């Protein structure tokens, strides 16, 4: 049976992740409610705006249930804003009262919008640990990881900083594989969820 993988659908590029997960062999579901969160084997947190998503997680009463499921070992994958939210600490977290809230699923410190205003968005081919050829990485106001804990494996780097990391069955990329036709990162996550990678 294929893994039931939810995509947090409060804000952001949900549809692209649903399509990529389906193509990678999972059963994709949207998650907006507590019952939906409870029903999935794993969760993808998409790109979007981490401050807005944090606000909506609170509004939808999902913040504590999501934290609890992550603490309980639910596998997760976050791209861009999703990577920011999975971190244990966020630098430049946003305006007071509207900050992005760390879910603390990966022992790392991320900086929001790390690549700076001049280079808001760019694309680069990166080597990616475990994949036999590079990935074409699309960065959009992307974060990077400034510190990773000892249990965190760095899978890809750009500008001297970690931009793809894995800790156990949790994965994060600062870039957006869901926006290219390459399904290998989602396939890796599906394998992680199913205990095959
Ligand atoms: N800069 C955004 C944030 O802080 C992330 C951008 C993205 O997800 N493409 O959340």
């Amino acid at each position: 049976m294929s893994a039931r993988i939810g995509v947090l659908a409060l804000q952001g590029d949900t549809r692209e992740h649903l399509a990529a997960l389906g193509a990678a062999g999972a059963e994709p579901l949207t998650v907006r409610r507590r019952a939906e969160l409870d029903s999935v084997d794993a969760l993808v947190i998409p790109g979007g705006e981490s401050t807005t998503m944090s606000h909506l997680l609170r509004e939808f009463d999902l913040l504590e249930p999501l934290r609890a499921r992550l603490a309980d070992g639910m596998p997760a994958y976050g791209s861009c804003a999703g990577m920011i939210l999975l971190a244990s600490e966020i630098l430049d977290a946003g305006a007071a009262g509207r900050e992005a809230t760390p879910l603390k699923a990966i022992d790392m410190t991320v900086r929001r919008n790390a690549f700076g205003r001049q280079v808001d968005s760019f694309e680069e081919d990166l080597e990616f640990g475990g994949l036999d050829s590079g990935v074409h990485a699309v960065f959009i106001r992307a974060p990077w990881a400034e510190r990773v804990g000892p249990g965190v494996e760095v899978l890809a780097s750009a500008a001297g900083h970690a931009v793809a990391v894995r800790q156990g069955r949790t994965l994060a990329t600062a870039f957006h594989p869901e926006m290219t036709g390459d399904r290998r990162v989602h396939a890796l996550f599906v394998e992680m969820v199913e205990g095959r990678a």
Side-chain angles (χ1 to χ4, degrees):
M1 234 177 61
S2 35
R4 290 164 57 82
I5 303 186
V7 179
L8 187 66
L10 303 178
Q11 190 257 344
D13 68 336
T14 309
R15 235 184 308 169
E16 290 80 355
H17 281 287
L18 291 167
L21 288 168
E27 183 191 341
L29 301 127
T30 56
V31 169
R32 276 193 204 89
R33 286 175 234 278
R34 173 76 191 266
E36 291 164 342
L37 176 63
D38 290 343
S39 79
V40 294
D41 299 320
L43 186 71
V44 170
I45 305 179
E49 178 50 56
S50 53
T51 54
T52 305
M53 258 188 260
S54 296
H55 174 69
L56 293 172
L57 280 169
R58 273 189 216 94
E59 290 286 298
F60 282 70
D61 290 323
L62 282 174
L63 184 62
E64 291 314 323
L66 176 52
R67 277 209 171 121
R69 283 223 59 194
L70 291 168
D72 200 39
M74 175 181 68
Y77 166 42
S79 70
C80 202
M83 171 169 170
I84 294 169
L85 294 176
L86 289 175
S88 48
E89 190 185 8
I90 302 170
L91 304 175
D92 285 337
R98 294 287 299 195
E99 295 102 331
T101 307
L103 296 168
K104 305 189 177 178
I106 298 179
D107 178 16
M108 64 176 171
T109 303
V110 296
R111 183 177 294 283
R112 284 177 66 235
N113 305 331
F115 291 90
R117 287 184 194 286
Q118 278 103 343
V119 282
D120 254 3
S121 303
F122 63 99
E123 303 187 11
E124 199 174 311
D125 291 323
L126 299 178
E127 282 179 32
F128 193 104
L131 299 183
D132 50 9
S133 62
V135 294
H136 186 68
V138 178
F139 293 88
I140 303 166
R141 300 186 68 222
W144 63 38
E146 296 206 353
R147 179 199 64 85
V148 297
V152 177
E153 185 186 355
V154 174
L155 298 174
S157 299
H161 292 279
V163 292
V165 297
R166 173 181 179 171
Q167 179 176 313
R169 294 203 293 169
T170 301
L171 179 70
T173 62
F175 51 90
H176 293 271
E178 74 279 9
M179 289 184 176
T180 66
D182 186 349
R183 302 308 186 205
R184 290 175 300 161
V185 174
H186 288 79
L188 167 65
F189 181 57
V190 173
E191 286 173 21
M192 286 166 58
V193 173
E194 294 177 349
R196 293 183 283 116

